[in-house]
Amino acid sequence: MLHPVSTPNYSDRIGFAQLTRRAFEGGDLHPLRERLLARIAEGTAEAGEGLDLSLIAQLLGEKEAGLVIQTEVLSFHQLFRTPCALPKPRLRVLALAADIDMGGNTPIEFLLEGSDIELLTLYVTKRTGLPETLPDHDVAIVVASDSEECREALALIERAAPNWPRPLLNRPELIGNLDRDKLYRLLADIPGLDIPVTAHATRTQLSDLVQGRMACADITGELRFPMIVRPRGTHAGVGLAKIDDAPALEAYLAERQEQDFFVARFVDYANPDGLYRKYRLTMVDGKPYACHMAIADRWDIWYLNAYMAFSEEKRAEEATFMVDFDNAFAARHRNALDEMSKRVGLDYFIVDCAENRDGELLVFEADNTAVVHNMDPPAVFPYKPPQMRKIFAAFTAMLSRHARAGEGSAA
């Protein structure tokens, strides 16, 4: 049986939001890294400083070194605090995280920036598991992702979930719904929503496809050229490609070492002006919020490769999208978004989507770990800070609502 205790044994850290912001704004993280390395060499470093060093290494492109440091720190300390903006927090949130790279847990610190909520992050690992006595908290949220590296952490939390002493959001058994090859099954028959079948294919199967020993339909009924291929387990577009025919697939496989892939039909979602528009929505407590809109002349859009900062016209369109969102985009897709939110079942998640040529909501992916931030320069994106603050306010209101409900049920 899990019990909360009143005095958490936490170690303070600078944390994800502050360090990422420094890097994003062009700050030099090397002096801080040298200072932390010196403290470790002297034997005076706190566990939180070790975790900060791990993140700095990753932000500087040294992912493997950063993960080695993180795993070492987590072997002797699990609980870390990111202090809130006020001396006395109104609420204490416990985030349940996994030992994974910096993109593998929900970056909840951004959502709580400037709030009166104190964040405690408890890392759940195979070696340490969950402590018998939990740190005292008002509400807990699972921030580990659906990645393979998080499976053991999610399983440990899931076993403890029925006896959790406080409200537990983003329940671990629901996070697996976000897997690329599970999500389409969950959402397949929602009216007004289009989600291509995403199927697992082995390198052998794709080689057989190249050689004509197998047809696209043998992998999944709706598959055909052109198709989208990506290595299984990758994110942020790593290895993502549009493959037009068998020779292109042969060339793609020659450049990749992976044995397992995801394949899906390609949907040409270009607008009549020839540009592609991709939207990121944040779902908070069942309600959609506009997070960003990327416009580019290429189908594989990320906000960074859409170069929104260089086009006043694109930014004006994104601003209109945000201002009119509730009465335009969200209204057009209300039924599809409501049903999607119910089926996914998570309290907080992110949707990357577009509109297909029939005006349906075209869903590319949903996850709980995409970065939702307020780092864009207000001089260039004056419409963004108010929109981000709206999302953050909705998130903190959701935490407060569940915390109050928890008090009521505990009374």
Side-chain angles (χ1 to χ4, degrees):
M1 181 76 176
L2 295 164
H3 300 282
V5 294
S6 57
T7 51
N9 174 30
Y10 56 71
S11 180
D12 278 351
R13 63 177 178 177
I14 299 168
F16 187 90
Q18 280 196 52
L19 290 172
T20 305
R21 183 181 293 280
R22 284 189 209 178
F24 189 82
E25 292 173 353
D28 184 5
L29 294 174
H30 288 89
L32 178 56
R33 178 173 71 168
E34 295 311 310
R35 204 155 58 243
L36 293 175
L37 283 170
R39 283 177 59 77
I40 287 170
E42 294 161 4
T44 57
E46 300 287 334
E49 292 175 309
L51 218 55
D52 285 335
L53 181 61
S54 160
L55 182 56
I56 290 166
Q58 293 178 68
L59 288 167
L60 292 174
E62 299 163 10
K63 178 179 171 180
E64 296 309 319
L67 289 176
V68 168
I69 296 166
Q70 179 171 282
T71 299
E72 174 64 24
V73 171
L74 297 181
S75 70
F76 66 85
H77 199 92
Q78 282 180 272
L79 186 66
F80 302 85
R81 181 179 77 140
T82 308
C84 74
L86 301 179
K88 188 171 169 55
R90 175 177 59 84
L91 208 66
R92 180 176 275 158
V93 176
L94 180 66
L96 301 166
D99 181 8
I100 189 173
D101 65 75
M102 65 183 189
N105 293 303
T106 307
I108 186 173
E109 288 175 32
F110 281 117
L111 302 168
L112 299 179
E113 264 192 312
S115 76
D116 54 359
I117 296 176
E118 182 175 274
L119 175 65
L120 293 175
T121 302
L122 180 67
Y123 283 84
V124 182
T125 69
K126 184 181 181 182
R127 185 191 295 187
T128 54
L130 280 160
E132 282 186 31
T133 50
L134 291 169
D136 196 14
H137 58 284
D138 301 295
V139 61
I141 181 168
V142 181
V143 297
S145 68
D146 63 324
S147 301
E148 196 66 46
E149 301 96 313
C150 296
R151 296 286 154 82
E152 286 177 346
L154 289 173
L156 287 164
I157 299 165
E158 188 173 344
R159 283 200 289 275
N163 299 314
W164 207 270
R166 298 283 185 267
L168 179 63
L169 308 189
N170 273 17
R171 296 185 73 88
E173 67 273 15
L174 299 176
I175 287 173
N177 287 341
L178 302 175
D179 279 355
R180 290 186 193 278
D181 53 348
K182 288 182 187 167
L183 187 68
Y184 82 88
R185 294 191 191 101
L186 194 66
L187 308 181
D189 59 349
I190 296 177
L193 188 148
D194 180 15
I195 181 164
V197 172
T198 299
H200 169 237
T202 63
R203 172 176 283 275
T204 301
Q205 286 177 307
L206 294 182
S207 297
D208 287 347
L209 200 58
V210 167
Q211 301 302 325
R213 292 190 293 267
M214 179 182 269
C216 291
D218 294 330
I219 296 175
T220 173
E222 69 170 46
L223 191 66
R224 59 184 180 271
F225 290 112
M227 67 174 68
I228 300 297
V229 182
R230 75 174 79 221
R232 186 169 189 146
T234 60
H235 292 278
V238 174
L240 176 68
K242 172 175 169 271
I243 303 295
D244 290 324
D245 50 31
L249 181 56
E250 184 174 27
Y252 174 83
L253 291 174
E255 292 174 359
R256 310 295 314 179
Q257 302 301 313
E258 296 89 353
Q259 297 300 309
D260 293 279
F261 300 85
F262 281 131
V263 292
R265 64 180 161 90
F266 172 71
V267 178
D268 189 351
Y269 61 99
N271 286 70
D273 63 0
L275 297 176
Y276 294 86
R277 287 161 175 83
K278 188 175 177 182
Y279 310 95
R280 173 162 289 176
L281 313 182
T282 307
M283 304 294 292
V284 186
D285 229 2
K287 179 175 163 53
Y289 295 85
C291 187
H292 70 223
M293 173 191 194
I295 307 166
D297 58 1
R298 52 190 291 173
W299 65 270
D300 53 340
I301 312 175
W302 282 267
Y303 201 78
L304 290 177
N305 72 18
Y307 303 112
M308 299 291 287
F310 299 102
S311 170
E312 196 173 327
E313 193 177 343
K314 287 181 181 181
R315 293 198 304 277
E317 188 175 336
E318 184 182 33
T320 301
F321 165 68
M322 289 184 167
V323 170
D324 295 345
F325 180 77
D326 288 341
N327 298 317
F329 191 96
R332 284 199 301 278
H333 302 295
R334 180 168 290 122
N335 294 338
L337 287 167
D338 284 351
E339 186 60 25
M340 180 183 187
S341 184
K342 281 179 200 158
R343 293 193 190 185
V344 170
L346 293 169
D347 305 279
Y348 171 84
F349 65 100
I350 295 99
V351 184
D352 282 341
C353 58
E355 291 177 305
N356 68 16
R357 288 176 173 176
D358 294 326
E360 296 173 314
L361 184 73
L362 174 63
V363 173
F364 298 120
E365 111 181 82
D367 73 54
N368 63 321
T369 60
V371 179
V372 178
H373 65 79
N374 190 19
M375 295 190 293
D376 291 305
V380 183
F381 300 93
Y383 53 90
K384 280 199 171 182
Q387 182 62 24
M388 293 303 111
R389 287 195 292 269
K390 189 189 291 187
I391 295 171
F392 301 163
F395 186 77
T396 56
M398 176 185 72
L399 295 176
S400 299
R401 181 176 73 77
H402 283 281
R404 285 194 303 272
E407 287 169 7
S409 63

